[in-house]
């Protein structure tokens, strides 16, 4: 509220002379006199000379305060105006760019109403509410930068008329007061006399050369006298004079001056480490540095917290009233909370030896206590400050279990359900143990970074816990504080100082003489919440005494320029170090205690520099060496390959997380679950995986293998994606500034060094590790550069030589990305709305109802997913007063708009699923694989049955909602607007919708009505035994890709009708497939006269070429695709990518390169096998492509433009004509590999239908890469006469001979064949005989087909025996193929156009 002024100043337009309190009735008795009219428009003028904002005829009163003021005009010579009410008022401002309207609300306004033709706004009063105001008419972008009550950034631009700046607004209606988004311009507290605003930093020249002019207004003396005799505040004529302006602040520039230059030079020479600000500014860079977190976490934290009340003064200190958000009545905390003990190895400065930790997984509270016996004090403090947990899990320490201990008594008295974990079962108390791990790690890093004495561990742990609780963490990005208290935390107290900062503190009360210096040195230890009513901090003085003070400022670099101050600091540090020496305060901890210990820290020497000298010798290992025989390698239970494996689950999704396989999972009787198998696909063992967040779950061996294979490259290297950089450290080998320079001739240049530096990296999977700077700099240069600047280490020798150039490049990239963003406002030339209101406005502007019809169509279907809770308001639901909504999450829904290729408008009602925290187990949904689709088309021709394609309507809306969700109905919801709606069906946008839909569809498909079963080889392929009218038995198939279903049966319509009973089929989608997953589908007639299904990539290729041509046009550089007549082959003549030394691409073109590679790889999946090798070669350079590589991609598209259609891939069930005499099928392998045979998969359906067999072609291009001498493998596999699998990839190893590279390719082919044979059998197809494999290397053919042949190259022994054992088991046989007709040559060698066309003739029809 307003406070009274002292003497009024003569430079004010309006001054408040005095105030007094009255009843609200009295304050508003004359409100009708000044009541404004709805819709009245007028201006709001900026007036920094007014004490307080003044509301005129364009504002409306919302409420009257119990305060009235006496207002004086320009000088004390004229009478003041009495009884001016103080109100809360509002007005409506319209954004001219978007047409949106906002309700501006002002507290502590002087109310003049209709008596004032326009309103006056004090920009300083607006700034005091943390809005940015640019009111200098000579500067660009004048206006107010504000935030709505929905956290939406809004900019209110000013209009300038001469030197008067203002903006228009109007009086709102009563409805608008209730519905419009709100911007609170001013706060509910305003003291114009004592407010302290941030001083504007000016140079010496600006301060001395600044001239201020005051011009008189046009007010005559007679007018002023008439005004002074007014007996009421409601006089239009008199009060209108108050809007006359006073002009000031004319800034004059001049030439450079020596004193200015000298001062700036002094500032540069003082030093680069210390700040020159008394208080820290609140930004992500400072927060990242102070809190030891990454930049991204800092940005997220600032978004989900408040920072109001932070200090900004460089002069005298001012206080911010502290608000205690904790409930005093001990609220009940739902769910499970965890408690554990942390033992210290030194007694703290305050006599503490133990700390109890309380947490529910994100919010952490630490309570240091003298001994473990005082644990009861910690539960009292926790329940007083946080609340009473419903359940509390602790270990079996005596203080937590003893019947007569204070801790147990207090829990029993407060009805806390105390539970205890089993001894040694750490996962039962995983939340507390995980948070203790985080706290210990952060405290260790803090001690290392700030050289903190160990005896301050109790203050340090409390500080780190408070930081953890206010950090944006978890998948929802919210803070633990908000989860517990339901309020956005205010971090103002935590962003001013960092733990153990050197500070000044003031204590004038103890000073007798006014000449004595009132400030003293101390170290900052955290927030003293329970001491004082203001921003009070714990400080430790030179004597080791801990005090609480609010008058605190940083010791800044200017202080260190004073020799006396520097000596004072050195003496302070020496005394404090002696006082905090922990030599006499060591604690002997008993052995075997089931508790955690605080880590010891050897300060800078802790950096891990392992080398060969640190590896123990055999003698040092002694009897630990294992000299006995190892178990057989094929005994999977004896040598478990999975335990200890680290991998990323759900890689590439928003839910990826790191996991470590810790042990086998067992059944209720203690027996391991599942059986081992040499083939990972058939391995049914179950394991326990421990994730980065401490939770555990069961996973099977085949899932582990599948995830691991998907995350490694050809060499088995696993990639990790950086989440953020958390910390840094350096050892004694890092170069100092003097060593960082070298001379090249007469030029002095910086050494390009990263020696001795490491960064702590948090990965996307949640894990963290220390990585050498040289390694992470190469993979993530921009992130490292930003971190260096944020943490003020960019001038260190390891960073100074490269950071600036990287950041300059970063800025160019960002500017180009912004340009692309704006292009999303239109699609196919049609403007795409973002809201319901905008869509209706576009219809109004366009004179049609296209968007309205699209929205009505969507909402008529979308009303199904929710039910309305009658008699409940959204406010009650949010406050937890609705029992039916306990454990429910609130979300916001919205419409997503789109334009189809035929210009049809489309709207989709989506849920804001990104704000929910759904369980991981209900967020994954798979789709049918591409080779399964090819087998489906082959099966249709094999069994001579039909294929029907159907598309299910509103797929997700047919599935029950797997999450507990409610939302407040918006305008789109019609009658449900403003009501509480509970989701009962899945909506697009929910994390669980895909999973729920897949489960719902699977339940129908496998129900007794349909009777299909999901295959284990592909869970999205369903089969059912069937018999045709002629008695022919086979398996009908359903192939599911989300809501697209292919029915393969002789009774497709019958099956479709049954599905239609459960899920409505789009009528226009029910037909034979003509397009599927981007491929053109059609029946063709073979030379034998029978019809088969076929696929072609022609349409996709033509569209892809058009996209590339459009991209080149948008570049505006006049570049075009090469003339197709000159692009007769995919590669230019003689081109080798590995020899390309052209310039590396910039970031934008790298993105273009990746985009083009993705388009070409999908074309290959659809059947463009003629470009497989060239695309594979260029794919090897995705990390750092060059200009020549990009030009080669354009050349491939030019080739495709000239060759849009190489033919169709026919899924021909006819058996190919093969000379089987080249295969040695009668060889006796028993003496070499025993009675080995192919193991059939369990639960395999009975094979039915016509037989199928497998043929494969294998080749390798030995040392094809002339730089690395890596070979390239090429494989194509047929089922009957249909190509099903093709493979083209660089080999992992360098082979010394053609034989070695061909044998590696043969082993890869063997693995693909085993997988395909498993899938064929699980699909119920009648697989006959081995896979007939053709190879053009006589040595390989002989070694793997003649049992007696001997391997002379020992390093190829594994591949040799793997392939031979497969031949012995009759999985495959190998025969010689002439090199001229080996189809796999298409995937290994750069061919001439004639030879390419010849080989493609065998593949395409």
């Amino acid at each position: 509220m307003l406070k009274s002024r002292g003497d009024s100043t003569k430079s004010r337009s309006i001054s408040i002379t005095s105030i007094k309190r009255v009843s609200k009735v009295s304050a508003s008795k004359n409100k009708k006199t000044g009541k404004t009219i709805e819709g009245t428009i007028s201006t709001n003028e900026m007036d920094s000379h007014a004490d307080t904002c003044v509301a005129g005829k364009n504002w409306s009163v919302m409420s009257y305060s119990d305060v009235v003021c006496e207002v004086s005009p320009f000088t004390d010579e004229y009478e003041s105006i009495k009884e001016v009410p103080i109100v809360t008022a509002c007005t409506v401002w319209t954004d001219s760019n978007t047409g949106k309207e906002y309700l501006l609300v002002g507290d502590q306004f002087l109310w003049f109403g209709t008596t004032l033709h326009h309103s006056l706004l004090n920009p300083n009063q607006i700034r005091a509410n943390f809005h940015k105001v640019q009111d200098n008419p000579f500067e660009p972008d004048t206006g107010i930068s504000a935030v709505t009550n929905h956290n939406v950034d809004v900019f209110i631009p000013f209009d300038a008329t001469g030197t008067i700046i203002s903006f228009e607004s109007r009086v709102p209606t009563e409805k608008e007061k209730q519905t419009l988004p709100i911007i609170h311009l001013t706060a509910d507290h305003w003291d114009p006399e004592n407010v302290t605003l941030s001083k504007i930093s000016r140079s010496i020249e600006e301060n001395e050369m600044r001239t201020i002019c005051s011009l008189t207004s046009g007010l005559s003396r007679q007018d002023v006298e008439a005004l002074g005799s007014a007996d009421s505040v409601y006089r239009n004529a008199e009060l209108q004079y108050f809007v006359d302006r006073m002009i000031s602040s004319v800034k004059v520039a001049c030439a450079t001056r020596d004193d200015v230059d000298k001062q700036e030079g002094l500032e540069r020479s003082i030093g680069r480490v210390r700040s020159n600000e008394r208080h820290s500014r609140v930004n992500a860079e400072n927060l990242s540095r102070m809190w030891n977190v990454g930049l991204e976490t800092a940005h997220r934290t600032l978004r989900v917290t408040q920072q109001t009340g932070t200090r900004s003064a460089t002069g005298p200190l001012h206080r911010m009233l502290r608000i205690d958000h904790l409930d005093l009545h001990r609220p009940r905390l739902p769910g499970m909370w965890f408690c554990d003990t942390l033992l210290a190895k030194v007694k703290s400065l305050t006599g503490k030896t133990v700390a109890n930790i309380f947490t529910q997984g994100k919010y952490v509270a630490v309570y240091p206590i003298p001994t473990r016996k005082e644990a009861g004090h910690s539960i009292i403090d926790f329940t007083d400050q946080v609340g009473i947990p419903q359940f509390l899990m602790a270990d079996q320490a005596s203080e937590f279990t003893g019947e007569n201990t204070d801790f147990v008594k207090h829990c029993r008295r407060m009805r806390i359900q105390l539970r205890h974990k089993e001894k040694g079962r750490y996962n039962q108390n995983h939340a507390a143990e995980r948070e203790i791990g985080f706290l210990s790690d952060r405290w260790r890093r803090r001690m290392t970074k700030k050289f903190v004495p160990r005896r301050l561990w109790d203050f340090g742990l409390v500080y780190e816990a408070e930081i953890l609780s206010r950090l944006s963490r978890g998948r929802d990005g919210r803070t633990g504080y908000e989860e517990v208290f339901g309020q956005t935390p205010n971090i103002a107290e935590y962003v001013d100082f960092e733990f153990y900062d050197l500070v000044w503190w003031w204590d004038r009360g103890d000073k007798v003489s006014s000449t004595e210096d009132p400030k003293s040195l101390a170290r900052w230890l955290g927030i003293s919440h329970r001491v004082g009513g203001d921003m009070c901090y714990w400080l430790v003085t030179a004597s080791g005494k801990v005090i609480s003070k609010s008058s605190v400022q940083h010791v800044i670099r200017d202080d260190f320029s004073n020799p006396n101050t520097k000596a004072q600091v050195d003496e302070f540090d020496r005394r404090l170090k002696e006082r905090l020496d922990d030599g006499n305060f060591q604690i002997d901890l008993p052995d075997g205690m089931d508790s955690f210990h605080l880590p010891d820290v050897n300060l800078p020497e802790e950096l891990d520099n392992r080398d060969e000298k640190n590896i123990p010798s055999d003698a040092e290992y002694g009897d630990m060496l294992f000299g006995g025989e190892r178990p057989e390698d094929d005994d999977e239970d004896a040598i478990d390959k999975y335990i200890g494996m680290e991998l990323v689950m759900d890689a590439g999704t928003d839910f990826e997380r790191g996991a470590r396989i810790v042990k086998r999972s067992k059944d209720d009787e203690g027996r391991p679950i599942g059986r081992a198998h040499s083939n990972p696909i058939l391995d049914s063992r179950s394991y326990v995986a421990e994730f980065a967040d401490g939770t555990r779950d069961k996973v099977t061996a085949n899932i582990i293998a599948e995830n691991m294979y998907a995350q490694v490259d050809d060499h088995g290297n696993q990639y990790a994606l950086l989440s953020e950089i958390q910390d840094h450290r350096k050892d004694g080998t890092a170069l100092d500034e003097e060593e960082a320079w070298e001379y090249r001739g007469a030029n002095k240049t910086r050494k390009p060094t990263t020696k001795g530096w490491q960064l702590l990296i948090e990965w996307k999977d949640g894990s963290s590790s220390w990585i050498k700077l040289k390694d992470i700099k190469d993979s993530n240069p921009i992130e490292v550069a930003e971190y260096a600047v944020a943490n003020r280490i960019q001038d260190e020798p390891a960073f100074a030589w490269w950071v600036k150039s990287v950041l300059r490049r970063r800025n160019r990239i960002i500017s180009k990305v912004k340009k692309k963003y704006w292009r999303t406002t239109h699609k196919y030339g049609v403007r795409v709305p973002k809201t319901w209101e905008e869509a209706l406005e576009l219809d109004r502007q366009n004179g049609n109802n296209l968007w309205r019809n699209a929205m009505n169509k969507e909402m008529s279907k979308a009303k199904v997913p929710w039910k309305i809770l009658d008699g409940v308001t959204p406010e009650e639901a949010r406050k937890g007063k609705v029992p039916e909504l306990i454990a429910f999450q609130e979300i916001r829904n919205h419409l997503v708009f789109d334009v189809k290729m035929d210009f049809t408008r489309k709207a989709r009602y989506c849920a804001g699923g990104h704000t929910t925290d759904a369980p991981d187990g209900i967020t994954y949904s798979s789709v049918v694989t591409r080779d399964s689709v090819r087998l489906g088309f082959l099966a249709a021709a094999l069994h001579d049955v039909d294929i029907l394609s159907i598309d299910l309507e509103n797929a997700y809306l047919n599935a029950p909602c797997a999450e507990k969700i409610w939302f407040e109905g918006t305008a789109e919801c019609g009658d449900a607007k403003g009501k509480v709606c509970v989701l009962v069906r899945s909506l697009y946008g929910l994390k669980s919708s895909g999973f729920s839909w897949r489960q719902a569809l699977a339940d129908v498909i496998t129900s007794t009505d349909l009777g299909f079963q999901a295959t284990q080889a592909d869970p999205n392929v369903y089969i059912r035994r069937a018999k045709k009218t002629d008695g022919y038995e086979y398996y009908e198939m359903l192939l599911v890709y989300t809501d697209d279903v292919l029915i393969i049966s002789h009774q497709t319509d019958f099956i479709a009708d049954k599905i239609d009973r459960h899920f409505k089929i789009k009528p226009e989608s029910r037909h034979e497939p003509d397009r599927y997953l981007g491929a053109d589908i059609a029946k063709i007639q073979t030379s034998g006269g029978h019809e088969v299904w076929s696929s072609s990539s022609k349409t996709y290729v033509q569209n892809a070429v058009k996209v590339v041509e459009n991209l080149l046009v948008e570049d505006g550089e006049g570049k075009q695709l090469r003339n197709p007549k000159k692009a007769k082959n995919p590669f230019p003549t003689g081109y080798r990518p590995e020899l390309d030394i052209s310039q590396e691409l910039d970031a934008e073109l790298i993105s273009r390169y990746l985009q083009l590679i993705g388009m070409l790889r999908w074309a290959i999946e659809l059947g463009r096998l003629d470009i497989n090798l060239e695309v594979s070669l260029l794919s090897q350079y995705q990390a750092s492509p060059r200009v020549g590589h990009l030009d080669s991609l354009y050349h491939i598209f030019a080739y495709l433009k000239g060759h849009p259609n190489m033919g169709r891939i026919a899924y021909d069930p006819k058996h190919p004509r093969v000379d089987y005499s080249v295969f040695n099928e009668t060889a006796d392998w028993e003496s070499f590999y025993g009675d080995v045979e192919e193991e059939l998969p369990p639960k395999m359906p009975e094979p039915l239908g016509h037989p199928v067999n497998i043929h494969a072609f294998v080749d390798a291009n030995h040392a094809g890469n002339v730089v690395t001498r890596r070979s390239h493998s090429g494989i194509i596999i047929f089922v009957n006469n249909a190509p099903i699998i093709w493979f083209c990839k660089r080999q992992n190893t360098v082979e010394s001979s053609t034989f070695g590279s061909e044998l590696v390719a043969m082993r890869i082919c063997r693995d693909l064949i085993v997988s395909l044979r498993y899938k064929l059998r699980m699909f119920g197809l009648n697989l006959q005989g081995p896979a007939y494999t053709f190879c053009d290397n006589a040595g390989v053919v002989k070694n793997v087909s003649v049992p007696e042949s001997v391997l002379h190259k020992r390093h190829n022994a594994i591949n040799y025996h793997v392939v031979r054992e497969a031949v012995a088991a009759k999985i495959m046989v190998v025969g010689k193929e002439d090199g001229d007709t080996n189809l796999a040559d298409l995937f290994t060698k750069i061919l001439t156009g004639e030879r390419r066309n010849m080989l493609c003739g065998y593949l395409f029809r």
Side-chain angles (χ1 to χ4, degrees), residues 67-341:
V67 176
V68 293
C69 293
E70 181 179 352
V71 179
S72 64
F74 305 105
T75 70
D76 293 336
E77 298 176 6
Y78 308 108
E79 293 185 11
S80 60
I81 302 173
K82 299 177 174 57
E83 302 294 323
V84 179
I86 303 298
V87 303
T88 297
C90 61
T91 187
V92 172
W93 170 75
T94 303
D95 189 335
S96 60
N97 292 325
T98 64
K100 292 185 177 179
E101 295 179 332
Y102 300 90
L103 188 71
L104 310 185
V105 176
D107 281 308
Q108 301 296 297
F109 270 43
L110 297 176
W111 176 243
F112 288 77
T114 56
T115 60
L116 191 60
H117 289 174
H118 50 254
S119 302
L120 302 179
L121 299 184
N122 182 352
N124 293 329
Q125 188 175 354
I126 299 175
R127 291 186 182 104
N129 201 30
F130 307 99
H131 297 307
K132 294 181 180 179
V133 183
Q134 172 56 277
D135 58 345
N136 186 345
F138 299 99
E139 296 291 338
D141 299 328
T142 57
I144 302 173
S145 299
V147 180
T148 71
N149 57 331
H150 299 303
N151 289 326
V152 176
D153 293 330
V154 176
F155 181 73
I156 305 174
F158 292 155
D159 296 322
T161 304
T163 57
I164 298 176
I165 56 176
S166 62
F167 67 93
E168 285 190 345
S169 65
R170 62 175 174 83
V171 178
T173 64
E174 291 302 320
K175 182 178 180 181
E176 286 173 332
K177 292 180 182 180
Q178 304 298 324
T179 59
L180 290 181
I182 297 173
I183 298 175
H184 288 279
L185 280 184
T186 58
D188 57 1
H189 178 87
W190 172 243
D191 182 359
E193 174 68 15
N194 297 317
V195 66
T196 301
L197 300 171
S198 299
K199 293 185 178 179
I200 302 174
S201 177
R202 300 187 182 92
S203 66
I204 295 176
E205 176 185 351
E206 287 176 317
N207 285 327
E208 294 187 358
M209 302 300 296
R210 204 163 182 269
T211 302
I212 301 178
C213 300
S214 298
L215 305 182
T216 60
S217 70
L219 188 68
S220 68
R221 182 178 182 86
Q222 290 81 2
D223 292 335
V224 175
E225 291 176 351
L227 175 62
S229 62
D231 58 354
S232 172
V233 297
Y234 303 109
R235 302 287 188 185
N236 291 336
E238 292 85 353
L239 293 180
Q240 188 56 42
Y241 291 120
F242 276 41
V243 304
D244 290 302
R245 318 305 305 161
M246 297 185 70
I247 304 174
S248 62
S249 306
V250 179
K251 189 161 55 178
V252 181
C254 70
T256 57
R257 290 175 23 190
D258 293 339
D259 56 346
V260 176
D261 296 339
K262 181 178 179 180
Q263 175 67 16
E264 293 177 350
L266 175 63
E267 291 181 358
R268 286 194 296 269
S269 65
I270 288 176
R272 299 171 179 172
V273 178
R274 296 181 178 88
S275 168
N276 203 32
E277 296 178 358
R278 294 292 182 188
H279 298 281
S280 301
R281 286 179 286 182
V282 185
N283 55 43
E285 289 75 15
N286 282 339
L287 194 68
S288 169
R289 175 177 50 80
M290 294 172 62
W291 286 16
N292 281 350
V293 296
L295 276 173
E296 181 59 30
T297 296
H299 279 292
R300 291 199 309 266
T301 300
L302 289 178
R303 285 196 296 267
V304 298
T305 59
Q306 300 178 30
Q307 302 89 42
T308 55
T310 54
R311 306 180 181 191
S312 58
T314 58
L317 295 179
H318 297 274
R319 296 182 174 183
M320 183 194 77
L321 182 63
R322 181 178 182 274
I323 300 174
D324 191 349
H325 294 298
L326 305 184
D327 294 322
L328 300 179
H329 60 281
R330 290 186 178 179
R332 285 282 173 178
L333 306 177
M336 177 65 73
W337 283 73
F338 302 87
C339 175
D340 216 325
T341 303

Side-chain angles (χ1 to χ4, degrees), residues 141 203 304 384 440 471 531 652 753 801 852 932 1061 1199 1297 1403:
D141 299 328
S203 66
V304 298
D384 281 345
S440 299
L471 272 180
V531 179
T753 177
W801 60 276
R852 178 184 290 275
S932 296
R1061 297 174 189 169
Y1199 166 79
S1297 65
L1403 300 175

Side-chain angles (χ1 to χ4, degrees), residues 110 115 117 147 150 167 400 408 438 442 459 505 628-629 810 829 845 889 891 962 979 1035 1038 1056 1115 1147 1263 1277 1330:
L110 297 176
T115 60
H117 289 174
V147 180
H150 299 303
F167 67 93
F400 298 144
V408 174
F438 289 158
R442 290 182 62 85
F459 288 96
W505 63 278
E629 295 185 1
R810 184 273 316 266
Q845 295 176 5
Q889 301 178 76
I891 63 171
K979 298 181 180 179
Y1035 288 97
L1038 297 181
D1115 289 343
I1277 304 177

Side-chain angles (χ1 to χ4, degrees), residues 729-796:
R729 63 188 185 185
K730 64 177 179 178
D731 60 11
T733 65
L735 300 185
D736 57 27
E737 184 65 20
E738 295 180 357
E739 301 170 322
W741 297 90
E742 61 184 358
Y743 287 91
R744 295 179 180 176
N747 298 323
K748 182 181 178 182
T749 60
R750 282 193 175 274
K751 294 180 181 178
T753 177
T754 57
K755 186 177 181 180
W757 282 81
Q758 288 184 331
L759 299 178
L760 181 60
I761 307 299
E762 180 182 355
W763 306 106
K764 288 288 188 183
D765 60 11
S767 61
S768 299
S769 56
W770 286 97
I771 305 296
K772 291 182 179 179
L773 173 60
K774 70 179 183 65
D775 296 329
I776 198 64
K777 169 189 170 293
D778 292 338
S779 61
N780 299 85
I782 294 178
E783 290 86 346
V784 176
E786 290 176 337
Y787 175 84
V789 172
N791 286 269
R792 303 176 184 175
I793 56 175
Q794 72 272 20
D795 293 328
E796 289 281 350

